[in-house]
Amino acid sequence: MRIFYTADHCDHQPKSEQYDGIASPYPEVSARVDAILAGLQQHNFGTIHTPRKYPLEHIHQIHSQPYVSFLRRRCRDITRGEQVQPSYFISDTYAPLTSGTYHASRRAVDAALAGADAILRGEQVAYSLCRPPGHHAGHQSTGGYCYFNNAAIAANHLSSHGRVAILDIDFHHGNGTQDAFYTRADVFYVSLHADPSINYPYIRGFATETGEADGVGCNLNIVVSKNATVTEYIAGLEKALAKIQDFAPDYLVVSAGFDTFIDDPIGGLRLNADDYTEIAEHIVALRTPSLIVQEGGYNTELLGELVVNFLQPFNRWSSR
Ligand code: OKP
Ligand code: ZN
């Protein structure tokens, strides 16, 4: 499998998030990536490639031009080491800006697009180690640690070459991604996540949301209970995979979050480390060229192990 990553995420270093005006430590830290890289190296996943720089056109198909310009200009005016809570282009107060946020977010998109291009060149599996994550980023809004929607931008790129399914297995519903494709019939969005009536992002992710206009039937939200063990989780996943199979995609994009792990500090179902291998085995059974895009997962101690466990079945398939 091809792996893409850049160190530029290090320049995105918020220190705190605001909940009802009260600051607490920022969980979406660069140590997450250090843990993943260490895991990949220990398990000999091979060369990690630096993506090339892609033009803004790809981003502008998902995000508005005023939004992208705002992020670029606002970050440019921030002193290194400072953090700003913007008042505009936000859907919540979980995406502060630092001087490096725009650049880091651009490079995360580059990693996702390079992964998509690897798939288009005939690679079976690519893993884009994106930070910051992307699935909450809307057409013109940041939110939930996200600025640019890496998975949506990559899926949109793939969609010029075939039918695309997006499987979002982060603990949180990917409201940005759902919105991006809600009226489209060529991209199918399926998400498994905790109940949005009591979990972030609150505003989206209900089972009643099934798509609109041309996109009717091309959106599927599966809510899993907060105490779901691997048995309940796999049952939901099987439903998702059956629908994906019916859709018959040429490409699969997996928004891979690991905050479903039992010991995740902000999410947490009852999934254990080994369960990620079983989850991946079910997804690999689709035998569809797959781009895996990193989303959440906040247990910096164990995140490397969780990602490695998940990637292992994909790796076995792609090097067969
Ligand atoms: C981003 B991703 C914790 C509240 C959490 C923001 C969650 C963003 C999750 N104090 N609110 O989907 O992993
Ligand atoms: Zn999440």
Side-chain angles (χ1 to χ4, degrees):
M1 88 167 68
R2 295 284 283 194
I3 301 178
F4 295 94
Y5 157 82
T6 85
D8 301 27
H9 73 92
C10 294
D11 300 336
H12 170 62
Q13 294 285 17
K15 289 182 176 63
S16 60
E17 62 176 26
Q18 294 277 332
Y19 177 74
D20 290 353
I22 297 164
S24 56
Y26 199 68
E28 201 288 284
V29 291
S30 56
R32 299 174 56 241
V33 169
D34 301 338
I36 296 171
L37 286 175
L40 295 174
Q41 269 142 25
Q42 268 163 37
H43 291 83
N44 302 314
F45 270 79
T47 313
I48 294 172
H49 301 272
T50 304
R52 71 171 174 93
K53 291 186 172 161
Y54 284 82
L56 274 178
E57 280 85 278
H58 289 98
I59 294 181
H60 283 150
Q61 289 179 38
I62 294 295
H63 300 287
S64 80
Q65 198 263 322
Y67 172 69
V68 177
S69 307
F70 170 79
L71 289 180
R72 178 172 47 78
R73 287 200 285 257
R74 192 63 194 88
C75 290
R76 198 183 50 201
D77 291 342
I78 300 173
T79 312
R80 255 189 97 85
E82 306 257 283
Q83 173 176 330
V84 166
Q85 171 55 58
S87 296
Y88 296 101
F89 298 107
I90 64 172
S91 64
D92 54 60
T93 55
Y94 291 113
L97 303 180
T98 67
S99 61
T101 299
Y102 174 78
H103 181 65
S105 305
R106 278 291 300 268
R107 294 300 279 149
V109 170
D110 289 340
L113 285 168
D117 275 337
I119 297 292
L120 291 174
R121 282 196 309 270
E123 203 76 40
Q124 315 233 54
V125 182
Y127 171 57
S128 298
L129 206 190
C130 297
R131 176 178 181 270
H135 70 157
H136 302 304
H139 180 59
Q140 34 188 359
S141 55
T142 65
Y145 317 146
C146 301
Y147 305 86
F148 294 143
N149 197 319
N150 308 309
I153 294 163
N156 183 66
H157 181 46
L158 290 169
S159 76
S160 322
H161 301 87
R163 293 164 68 78
V164 180
I166 304 170
L167 173 64
D168 191 327
I169 56 168
D170 189 278
F171 175 89
H172 306 95
H173 176 254
N175 55 304
T177 313
Q178 169 171 306
D179 288 355
F181 301 109
Y182 207 60
T183 58
R184 285 175 57 169
D186 59 332
V187 179
F188 185 42
Y189 177 75
V190 191
S191 177
L192 258 80
H193 50 267
D195 187 353
S197 60
I198 46 169
N199 292 282
Y200 186 89
Y202 304 105
I203 53 171
R204 294 276 190 287
F206 299 92
T208 48
E209 298 157 7
T210 55
E212 273 172 16
D214 289 351
V216 167
C218 292
N219 194 89
L220 177 62
N221 288 325
I222 299 174
V223 173
V224 292
S225 63
K226 195 143 177 158
N227 51 21
T229 61
V230 70
T231 315
E232 180 189 337
Y233 194 84
I234 296 280
L237 182 64
E238 278 301 309
K239 264 185 226 159
L241 295 173
K243 294 287 182 185
I244 290 174
Q245 203 151 28
D246 291 347
F247 181 78
D250 299 296
Y251 307 107
L252 178 70
V253 175
V254 183
S255 261
F258 298 85
D259 38 8
T260 49
F261 179 52
I262 186 162
D263 285 325
D264 189 272
I266 77 164
L269 305 176
R270 289 213 205 135
L271 298 185
N272 296 304
D274 294 345
D275 296 336
Y276 290 94
T277 302
E278 188 178 342
I279 290 167
E281 278 163 356
H282 284 261
I283 302 170
V284 165
L286 288 173
R287 293 286 182 266
T288 303
S290 299
L291 169 63
I292 299 159
V293 177
Q294 181 64 45
E295 300 285 359
Y298 304 95
N299 184 320
T300 52
E301 202 81 31
L302 294 170
L303 184 57
E305 186 184 334
L306 307 185
V307 171
V308 163
N309 288 353
F310 181 74
L311 292 180
Q312 219 69 271
F314 287 97
N315 205 29
R316 283 193 281 270
W317 172 48
S318 67
S319 56
R320 134 203 79 103

